[in-house]
Amino acid sequence: MKKFIILLGIIVGTLSSCSNYIEEESLSNVPADGTYKTAAGFQLLINTNYAWLKSIYGGNPWLFEAGTDMYAEGRTPEPAGLSQYTLLIPSSDNVADLYRPCYQLIQSVNKAIYYSSVTEQTANLNMLLGEARFLRAQAYFLLVQTYGGVPIVSENITTPVLSFTRNSAEEVYTQIISDLDFALANVGTAAYSTSGKVNKRAVNDLLAKVYLTRGYETFGKADDFSKAAAYADAAIAGQTLAIAFDQLFKPGNDLNAETIFSVQYDKASTSTSPTTLGNNQFYYFSSYLGGAETGAPLRSYNLCPTDYALGLYEKGDARWNATFMTEIVEGPETTNGVTKTVLYYPYYRSSNPASLKVRHFYEPKWFTPADKTAWMTANASRLASTFVYHPWGEYSAAHTLIKNLDCYTIPVKKFDDPDPTTPSSTGPVSTRDIIVARLGETYLVAAEAYLKAGNPGTGLERLNEVRRRAGVANATLAQFNIDYILDERGRELLGEYKRWFDLKRTGTLVARASAHNYKIKEANFVGVDGKLKILRPIPQSALDLNQNKDFPQNPGY
């Protein structure tokens, strides 16, 4: 029996939202059915599939990063359930933040598949379908990692359905791989930096991640890890990591040669509502930097780096200064004829960097007393009148228990948007792209896959390519294990919406989160049935709207 049913609320929201989006884009004002049956209209429908990614990635990142070893609560509270686990129940805040938008994307793809058989038949039709099915696979991959087995919906549903059945996680993985196999056979090969569309490299990259993740499951196949390694190498395609790390995330350089897939934004696309249509990625991973009077970007003061995250870097690692704003500077900026001292942004905007004063400096862990003296002497003329020197160990998330003043946790700068659409006083909005897949991570996926496949020598080579670009010494075979890979992923991918999935995949979530997050103890994970809360709960809103009450909740809830 087909299991193609999903809850009423999701279907109603999906149909209305998707229809409205297309009607706004339609220049002919013809009905949607007539639009989609033309080549141009069908292309609009495919574009809509891409647009749904903004709902998945552009909002709050709690389901990606909260409750891990890398980020903990600062002065501003995080959702207690997702960040601490003791209060995690199906009705907790933000539990449904991936459930609903992923199904909205899935329904949009299902609509595209339906119209592909009745629309104008063109030479690139299967290529467009391949792009759509990649996006559906991406949505299901997020769902199955987060919630476990979920309903598989593959029909274009046009009337509300009041009952749905839960598929197993194994069945969901089979569906994901089927979509990706079709995509790999049909999508194009144009460079992502020029086309901005799903290509074979992106499909190979996602297949590598899917097989790697399934390999850890009880239903994983014997060759999952070797397949993951092969697909990762196909995505790498011999390309070395040639772009300096500080250039990967330089504003304006999001579509570089190492970007494999991303959620794309531009100012024109947000002009109708600039305070809501951007994304929030730059808003997190930092302390509050002061009010609007400082001119600094608005930051949340939660999801602040832990002592563990900050301690991952060694002297000479190029990723330290490229990831963190180790000096917060101030300088004059003139707006509408008025000049005032602005905090933070002059780092990007000043035409005379040598004139900028340093307001805050965050000492790295390798500094000795002599290093501090040398730094203070060399920078004596640069120190602002209100300069603050933050010693190592006094600017992590946990330090806010002792001192929680503005700027007292180190800011993550890699997502900065120095040209925002709105002033800081109106909210956290950025039009920079959110990079979902990039070459440096693919090397680390290959490293992990080769290790798990029993070929640690080749895996170590892949990992050391990442370390080579960072400017640090090669890891040795004696060091090379899952913990080392997780440390390297932490250094390379800090803040990039990966960490919860990394810990869940490798079975290290409980141990690592409780060891490094000051808000979490191992007992926090023990659920009402004595089982551990590893998966997120199926959202209560989904269960309430489902008339099929024979739908199991995840263990622990």
Side-chain angles (χ1 to χ4, degrees):
M1 185 178 75
K2 293 181 179 179
K3 300 177 180 177
F4 295 144
I5 316 300
I6 191 148
L7 60 126
L8 174 63
I10 288 177
I11 294 302
V12 171
T14 300
L15 294 176
S16 62
S17 297
C18 189
S19 175
N20 288 343
Y21 181 92
I22 294 299
E23 287 171 4
E24 289 173 6
E25 294 293 325
S26 174
L27 301 180
S28 59
N29 293 316
V30 297
D33 185 74
T35 300
Y36 301 152
K37 290 179 180 178
T38 68
F42 188 76
Q43 180 67 68
L44 286 175
L45 185 53
I46 298 299
N47 293 348
T48 303
N49 296 336
Y50 282 96
W52 279 118
L53 293 170
K54 297 180 180 181
S55 298
I56 294 172
Y57 289 97
N60 297 320
W62 307 122
L63 286 161
F64 297 94
E65 306 284 23
T68 67
D69 55 351
M70 295 282 291
Y71 322 103
E73 186 173 291
R75 183 167 71 191
T76 307
E78 300 174 7
L82 292 176
S83 65
Q84 299 176 39
Y85 299 97
T86 49
L87 301 177
L88 183 56
I89 58 176
S91 59
S92 293
D93 291 344
N94 303 101
V95 161
D97 280 2
L98 284 178
Y99 205 86
R100 183 182 181 91
C102 282
Y103 273 114
Q104 289 173 322
L105 171 55
I106 289 165
Q107 173 62 7
S108 182
V109 173
N110 292 344
K111 181 180 290 188
I113 293 172
Y114 166 78
Y115 275 100
S116 69
S117 63
V118 295
T119 192
E120 181 182 350
Q121 301 298 293
T122 60
N124 70 339
L125 185 63
N126 276 348
M127 182 181 73
L128 297 177
L129 277 177
E131 295 173 21
R133 291 185 65 173
F134 169 92
L135 297 173
R136 185 168 71 177
Q138 180 83 16
Y140 271 123
F141 189 41
L142 289 172
L143 287 170
V144 76
Q145 292 176 95
T146 305
Y147 305 104
V150 292
I152 296 175
V153 185
S154 58
E155 291 181 342
N156 177 38
I157 299 173
T158 56
T159 57
V161 180
L162 304 178
S163 178
F164 65 102
T165 303
R166 187 174 185 180
N167 288 82
S168 68
E170 184 174 7
E171 290 170 328
V172 176
Y173 273 98
T174 299
Q175 174 64 43
I176 292 168
I177 291 170
S178 174
D179 275 342
L180 291 177
D181 285 344
F182 179 89
L184 188 61
N186 290 283
V187 298
T189 59
Y192 187 74
S193 59
T194 55
S195 72
K197 300 292 186 181
V198 174
N199 58 19
K200 291 188 187 299
R201 181 180 221 181
V203 181
N204 279 316
D205 178 82
L206 186 53
L207 275 165
K209 294 170 182 173
V210 169
Y211 277 110
L212 176 66
T213 306
R214 191 177 74 170
Y216 284 92
E217 299 284 356
T218 56
F219 52 80
K221 311 299 183 186
D223 60 351
D224 276 349
F225 293 124
S226 59
K227 283 186 175 180
Y231 281 118
D233 278 349
I236 292 169
Q239 182 180 349
T240 59
L241 301 178
I243 301 175
F245 194 86
D246 64 354
Q247 297 299 301
L248 288 178
F249 290 91
K250 183 179 179 181
N253 199 31
D254 297 334
L255 278 177
N256 60 67
E258 292 185 17
T259 301
I260 293 175
F261 190 67
S262 60
V263 184
Q264 297 178 44
Y265 294 82
D266 62 74
K267 287 194 171 184
S269 69
T270 63
S271 59
T272 57
S273 183
T275 62
T276 61
L277 291 181
N279 69 69
N280 291 354
Q281 189 175 27
F282 87 116
Y283 177 58
Y284 296 96
F285 315 112
S286 170
S287 57
Y288 181 68
L289 302 177
E293 71 280 358
T294 71
L298 179 65
R299 293 292 170 82
S300 66
Y301 223 143
N302 46 33
L303 284 176
C304 298
T306 61
D307 287 291
Y308 160 73
L310 296 169
L312 287 171
Y313 300 86
E314 62 187 283
K315 186 176 183 178
D317 193 328
R319 294 170 295 191
W320 172 255
N321 281 312
T323 299
F324 299 102
M325 187 67 80
T326 58
E327 295 180 357
I328 296 182
V329 297
E330 64 180 30
E333 288 193 359
T334 303
T335 304
N336 298 325
V338 177
T339 300
K340 69 174 185 177
T341 298
V342 173
L343 190 67
Y344 197 94
Y345 277 138
Y347 171 84
Y348 297 102
R349 299 171 178 166
S350 176
S351 60
N352 185 18
S355 68
L356 301 175
K357 298 293 185 181
V358 180
R359 179 86 66 91
H360 295 268
F361 175 70
Y362 303 89
E363 174 189 274
K365 72 172 182 179
W366 54 84
F367 257 35
T368 65
D371 289 326
K372 177 180 178 179
T373 299
W375 190 92
M376 292 293 292
T377 300
N379 292 280
S381 64
R382 300 178 62 225
L383 305 184
S385 59
T386 56
F387 171 74
V388 179
Y389 187 98
H390 299 269
W392 169 250
E394 296 186 14
Y395 53 84
S396 68
H399 191 67
T400 59
L401 294 174
I402 301 170
K403 186 172 290 187
N404 64 0
L405 302 176
D406 297 352
C407 302
Y408 267 69
T409 63
I410 190 171
V412 172
K413 76 177 185 183
K414 64 199 291 190
F415 313 117
D416 282 350
D417 189 346
D419 189 24
T421 57
T422 61
S424 61
S425 59
T426 60
V429 180
S430 171
T431 55
R432 287 196 61 187
D433 296 347
I434 297 175
I435 298 175
V436 175
R438 61 179 180 86
L439 189 61
E441 185 198 7
T442 311
Y443 268 97
L444 294 175
V445 168
E448 186 179 339
Y450 275 115
L451 174 65
K452 296 293 291 183
N455 188 352
T458 304
L460 183 61
E461 291 174 5
R462 300 294 182 272
L463 181 136
N464 280 334
E465 172 64 11
V466 175
R467 292 184 62 78
R468 178 199 61 78
R469 193 253 296 277
V472 290
N474 284 347
T476 66
L477 201 57
Q479 294 173 306
F480 187 53
N481 55 29
I482 290 300
D483 281 329
Y484 195 94
I485 289 170
L486 286 171
D487 290 349
E488 198 65 47
R489 288 183 67 89
R491 286 183 279 267
E492 180 76 13
L493 303 169
L494 190 141
E496 294 183 44
Y497 293 9
K498 311 287 184 185
R499 196 59 178 184
W500 186 86
F501 299 104
D502 290 344
L503 301 187
K504 188 261 182 181
R505 176 184 70 252
T506 56
T508 60
L509 176 62
V510 175
R512 279 181 162 259
S514 58
H516 301 301
N517 189 317
Y518 76 100
K519 286 278 189 175
I520 299 174
K521 300 183 185 301
E522 283 195 22
N524 293 25
F525 287 92
V526 179
V528 294
D529 52 6
K531 296 180 180 178
L532 296 179
K533 300 176 182 179
I534 302 300
L535 293 167
R536 311 294 198 182
I538 300 295
Q540 190 62 46
S541 56
L543 298 176
D544 290 344
L545 289 166
N546 180 22
Q547 292 186 2
N548 174 17
K549 299 307 177 184
D550 185 21
F551 187 100
Q553 180 56 273
N554 285 326
Y557 305 103

